[in-house]
Amino acid sequence: MVFSSHIFVYYFLPIALISYYLLPRRAKHFGLTLFSYVFYGWANPLFAPLMFASTLIDYTCGRVISESKRQRYRKLAVTVSIGSNLSLLGFFKYFNFGIANINAAMGWLGLPVWEGVLHVTLPLGISFYTFQSMSYTIDVYRGDAKAIRNFVDFACYVSMFPQLVAGPIVRFSEIADQLRHRTHTLQRFARGIAFFALGMAKKVLIANPCGKCADTVFNAGVVSTLDAWYGVIAYAFQIYFDFSGYSDMAIGLGLMLGFTFAKNFDSPYCAESITEFWQRWHISLSSWLRDYLYIPLGGNRRGTARTYVNLALVMLLGGLWHGASWNFVIWGGIHGGMLALERKRGKASFYRSIPKPLRVMATFLLVLIAWVFFRINELPDAITYLQCMFSKIHVQPSTNLISGILYQPYHLLVMGVAGIVIWCFPQTWDWTRQLTPLRIGVCLCLLWLSLAVLATQTYNPFIYFIF
């Protein structure tokens, strides 16, 4: 079930909200947990027991860490928590990838490949809720948060449907006080509706049309240089509006339930460097990797060479977190290499002689090149696409037919609006701080238009569901 679907908007959400507000205070978390499990198990009920097992393990480990007086037991508990979460993530996300690479290596060596090996289905959102649940035991072990005693409250934190399958990754230390006590106000609920409306508009009105253009180009194989650039820009717009729109809807739903989640995007394509890009893009993930991986590895405290190694390793693992493909590793490697290069030369010296608009354009260009590897599964296909972008390559006359789709006035209008919103408009987080009657009217009109367009769209993918 996705937020931008009729069953969610017209059935699940109204029933969940009405039930939540009708329940007494002590039963709200149980009710929210129940609805969250229904939401998660809608596509495949077998995913729900897996999440429950992860929740139970981390809850138990948190209690042991909090209540044990022996450091040995506390270390054992946090090790079990991290090990079990990484094992779940590793098996379900990378088993097929590992077998495919083993078979490729065995075939190259002339050895028989493994046939009839189990094919594992990736549970929705496992990358998000394992990181979120794991942060709880780590925070408790570090003393950054107190262990929660009520299992239902913890299950509610892990499974809360607004941020369950695609984030933002909400750390327990950020929401612990809200689980104990939070206020429900009309102002907060109204801002939640505004967030949801703007997020829905991003997804339905911009991301979906851009995604159709991107798929048309990337699925065509060899294309002209102009079409190749059009396609990768369309994909950059799609993934931004798709993911930031979902984050906006998640934050809005949280506000409707009385929770305040942290900002997850801050105009990333306005960044003047790759370092700044990662301070603005998927903030909950980049900060998670910084605090739970980069700093424990030593950060920048163990010399220059070790700092570069840590940056590269974190970004390589960040790329692999997104998916089981070597192209994701390359995508992470590009970003990690740029982060190390910028740190080595210093941001001021590296960009000093370039005017700000050119710094933004240069950063966006690097991001576009990296997106090619993120979008395409196979390395040879990604190399071919880059050749289409940067060199004149022979294309079949039949590929000219895609121009009839790409350069329709509607798609050109959407691409133009996307660029204006990205580089000229404020973020949803800032724009909804003060809701005037005009802004409320704009949000309601966009919500109505989004739902009307949604009823006519057959193309409604969600990129981050596969992560």
Side-chain angles (χ1 to χ4, degrees):
M1 191 185 304
V2 297
F3 295 161
S4 56
S5 65
H6 295 91
I7 192 168
F8 179 83
V9 173
Y10 294 115
Y11 300 100
F12 180 87
L13 182 58
I15 294 173
L17 287 175
I18 292 172
S19 301
Y20 175 81
Y21 278 98
L22 289 178
L23 286 170
R25 184 181 63 84
R26 299 186 66 177
K28 287 187 185 299
H29 285 173
F30 177 79
L32 183 54
T33 303
L34 181 62
F35 276 102
S36 297
Y37 269 84
V38 172
F39 174 86
Y40 185 66
W42 191 263
N44 188 338
L46 295 178
F47 294 161
L50 181 68
M51 183 172 64
F52 181 82
S54 175
T55 302
L56 183 61
I57 291 172
D58 288 325
Y59 170 77
T60 303
C61 290
R63 292 291 300 272
V64 172
I65 294 170
S66 175
E67 298 175 7
S68 178
K69 296 181 179 180
R70 295 189 177 184
Q71 183 65 12
R72 180 176 60 181
Y73 293 154
R74 298 178 75 250
K75 285 185 177 180
L76 177 62
V78 74
T79 301
V80 169
S81 172
I82 295 174
S84 62
N85 279 290
L86 293 181
S87 296
L88 284 174
L89 185 62
F91 175 75
F92 284 98
K93 196 156 190 173
Y94 306 110
F95 179 84
N96 298 334
F97 177 65
I99 293 298
N101 280 276
I102 291 173
N103 283 340
M106 295 180 70
W108 184 76
L109 294 172
L111 300 174
V113 300
W114 295 2
E115 297 181 358
V117 179
L118 175 68
H119 184 80
V120 177
T121 301
L122 178 66
L124 295 176
I126 191 170
S127 299
F128 289 90
Y129 74 72
T130 51
F131 269 31
Q132 182 164 301
S133 184
M134 190 162 49
S135 73
Y136 163 74
T137 51
I138 297 174
D139 285 348
V140 172
Y141 180 79
R142 291 175 172 176
D144 296 333
K146 295 182 179 179
I148 196 166
R149 300 187 62 85
N150 189 311
F151 177 74
V152 173
D153 290 349
F154 181 69
C156 179
Y157 156 70
V158 175
S159 67
M160 201 180 308
F161 72 85
Q163 42 76 52
L164 174 58
V165 296
I169 302 173
V170 181
R171 304 187 200 182
F172 182 76
S173 58
E174 298 172 348
I175 204 173
D177 292 338
Q178 298 180 57
L179 285 169
R180 298 186 185 97
H181 175 74
R182 61 188 177 277
T183 57
H184 303 84
T185 64
L186 182 60
Q187 182 180 8
R188 178 173 291 186
F189 195 92
R191 191 184 184 202
I193 295 176
F195 257 100
F196 188 84
L198 295 172
M200 180 72 76
K202 284 183 177 181
K203 166 62 179 167
V204 176
L205 302 181
I206 300 180
N208 286 354
C210 289
K212 188 174 182 180
C213 292
D215 286 355
T216 300
V217 177
F218 280 96
N219 294 339
V222 178
V223 295
S224 67
T225 300
L226 179 62
D227 291 346
W229 280 101
Y230 190 108
V232 73
I233 292 173
Y235 180 71
F237 289 171
Q238 179 199 9
I239 194 170
Y240 169 68
F241 284 106
D242 198 69
F243 195 17
S244 69
Y246 194 96
S247 292
D248 285 348
M249 287 188 278
I251 293 171
L253 292 169
L255 288 169
M256 295 181 202
L257 298 168
F259 293 95
T260 300
F261 302 148
K263 181 192 293 186
N264 204 28
F265 286 87
D266 187 14
S267 301
Y269 291 152
C270 293
E272 300 176 35
S273 65
I274 295 298
T275 301
E276 186 181 348
F277 175 82
W278 278 104
Q279 294 169 353
R280 294 168 171 259
W281 177 274
H282 200 352
I283 299 170
S284 63
L285 174 64
S286 57
S287 61
W288 197 101
L289 292 173
R290 178 197 64 207
D291 295 341
Y292 296 104
L293 187 57
Y294 176 70
I295 292 177
L297 285 173
N300 58 359
R301 304 187 305 274
R302 298 185 180 180
T304 303
R306 181 62 181 270
T307 298
Y308 299 153
V309 171
N310 290 342
L311 283 171
L313 180 60
V314 168
M315 292 310 300
L316 289 172
L317 292 175
L320 199 58
W321 175 89
H322 282 85
S325 167
W326 289 114
N327 275 15
F328 284 118
V329 177
I330 294 172
W331 173 79
I334 292 172
H335 281 273
M338 286 304 304
L339 290 173
L341 180 62
E342 290 175 2
R343 176 175 286 273
K344 178 180 180 180
R345 299 191 62 178
K347 180 179 177 182
S349 61
F350 191 69
Y351 295 98
R352 181 180 299 159
S353 61
I354 308 176
K356 179 179 178 179
L358 293 182
R359 293 199 297 267
V360 173
M361 289 177 60
T363 302
F364 186 58
L365 175 63
L366 292 171
V367 171
L368 288 178
I369 294 171
W371 278 143
V372 172
F373 295 96
F374 195 93
R375 172 60 176 78
I376 299 176
N377 292 326
E378 301 297 331
L379 180 59
D381 295 336
I383 298 299
T384 299
Y385 195 92
L386 288 174
Q387 290 176 340
C388 294
M389 291 172 60
F390 290 101
S391 65
K392 189 173 182 180
I393 191 168
H394 176 71
V395 297
Q396 296 295 328
S398 59
T399 59
N400 294 326
L401 296 175
I402 68 174
S403 299
I405 297 175
L406 300 181
Y407 304 107
Q408 291 179 3
Y410 170 67
H411 287 138
L412 291 174
L413 175 63
V414 171
M415 292 285 286
V417 170
I420 292 172
V421 171
I422 285 173
W423 285 294
C424 300
F425 277 33
Q427 286 290 294
T428 303
W429 187 275
D430 303 314
W431 196 77
T432 59
R433 285 185 183 275
Q434 185 176 1
L435 289 176
T436 62
L438 177 60
R439 293 185 179 186
I440 292 173
V442 170
C443 291
L444 293 178
C445 287
L446 286 175
L447 180 60
W448 173 83
L449 182 60
S450 300
L451 295 177
V453 172
L454 182 64
T456 67
Q457 283 184 346
T458 57
Y459 182 91
N460 189 33
F462 180 62
I463 294 175
Y464 267 74
F465 258 33
I466 64 174
F467 303 140

